[in-house]
Amino acid sequence: MQEKGQQARETEAPQPADVIKAISERMPQQVSCQRILVPTDGSGQAFKAVLDAIHLAAATGAELTLLMVVDYNKNVAAFEQVSLGGYVPAELKVAAYRFLADLMHLIPSAVRAHPRVEAGDPRELIVSVAEEEEESDLIVMGSRGFGTFRSLLVGSVSRFVLEQAACPVLLVKGLPDDWDEEARCAAPLT
């Protein structure tokens, strides 16, 4: 009895040499990346994700969509939400466009990119914009942002996007080398 179980385990587990041989005999596959969605909240990890996405776009010829979601619930007090009746203050959107305009200056002219600002729940909007933007091939985002409660390993927004997005998601960890945490920005370029 024990021999049959041991034989079954041996036949189930492929040997490394067999796996390597099978992979080397496969037809080469072309990987294509035409559109990269880069959601940002202004955090250091999001900024690092933008920089990494710029490098990916330059290497693949992909077009970038820089997305900033104005989180109505996070930026407007509960009393103001009731009194505004669902209206998102224009100042929040203007500030988001200004922020994205500053980011656009970091992108080399050879890389096609455009900004986009939306208002609502960042989790839901990142996933829907990825589907809407001519079906993004990749989402590149920071693993944690400015969320009120931070998860230990992955933020709630990035976790939701990772689980719900139809396309691959690249989570970028860490901060840029020149990130100033107190000023919440990269050091000025000299």
Side-chain angles (χ1 to χ4, degrees):
M1 244 355 196
Q2 190 174 8
E3 277 184 37
K4 285 184 181 180
Q6 188 174 2
Q7 285 177 343
R9 278 190 296 248
E10 288 175 5
T11 57
E12 289 175 13
Q15 298 300 313
D18 295 334
V19 173
I20 292 170
K21 182 180 177 190
I23 291 172
S24 65
E25 292 174 352
R26 288 183 185 165
M27 295 293 294
Q29 296 178 349
Q30 178 98 15
V31 176
S32 174
C33 188
Q34 303 292 320
R35 286 170 282 300
I36 300 174
L37 176 63
V38 190
T40 182
D41 63 359
S43 67
Q45 287 191 345
F47 185 72
K48 187 167 187 314
V50 169
L51 297 176
D52 289 353
I54 291 169
H55 291 293
L56 282 169
T60 62
E63 179 179 358
L64 294 177
T65 299
L66 298 179
L67 173 67
M68 181 165 254
V69 178
V70 176
D71 187 350
Y72 184 69
N73 291 323
K74 182 177 168 186
N75 292 304
V76 180
F79 176 75
E80 291 173 314
Q81 290 179 26
V82 172
S83 64
L84 293 172
Y87 169 72
V88 176
E91 296 83 23
L92 293 175
K93 280 192 161 185
V94 169
Y97 273 114
R98 283 188 184 138
F99 178 80
L100 291 180
D102 289 342
L103 281 182
M104 294 293 287
H105 291 291
L106 299 174
I107 301 172
S109 59
V111 175
R112 294 172 297 138
H114 66 275
R116 182 166 174 176
V117 175
E118 296 290 337
D121 179 1
R123 298 174 307 168
E124 297 285 342
L125 281 167
I126 292 167
V127 172
S128 67
V129 168
E131 293 171 358
E132 182 182 302
E133 282 283 326
E134 300 179 32
E135 299 179 12
S136 297
D137 297 308
L138 178 66
I139 299 171
V140 179
M141 63 188 296
S143 60
R144 287 190 298 167
F146 286 145
T148 307
F149 301 101
R150 293 183 178 186
S151 297
L152 291 176
L153 299 175
V154 179
S156 64
V157 173
S158 54
R159 178 179 300 278
F160 182 89
V161 172
L162 187 62
E163 292 171 355
Q164 299 298 318
C167 65
V169 178
L170 174 62
L171 296 180
V172 176
K173 294 170 58 176
L175 299 170
D177 294 334
D178 59 351
W179 186 257
D180 181 350
E181 187 58 39
E182 288 190 22
R184 295 193 185 235
C185 64
L189 299 175
T190 55

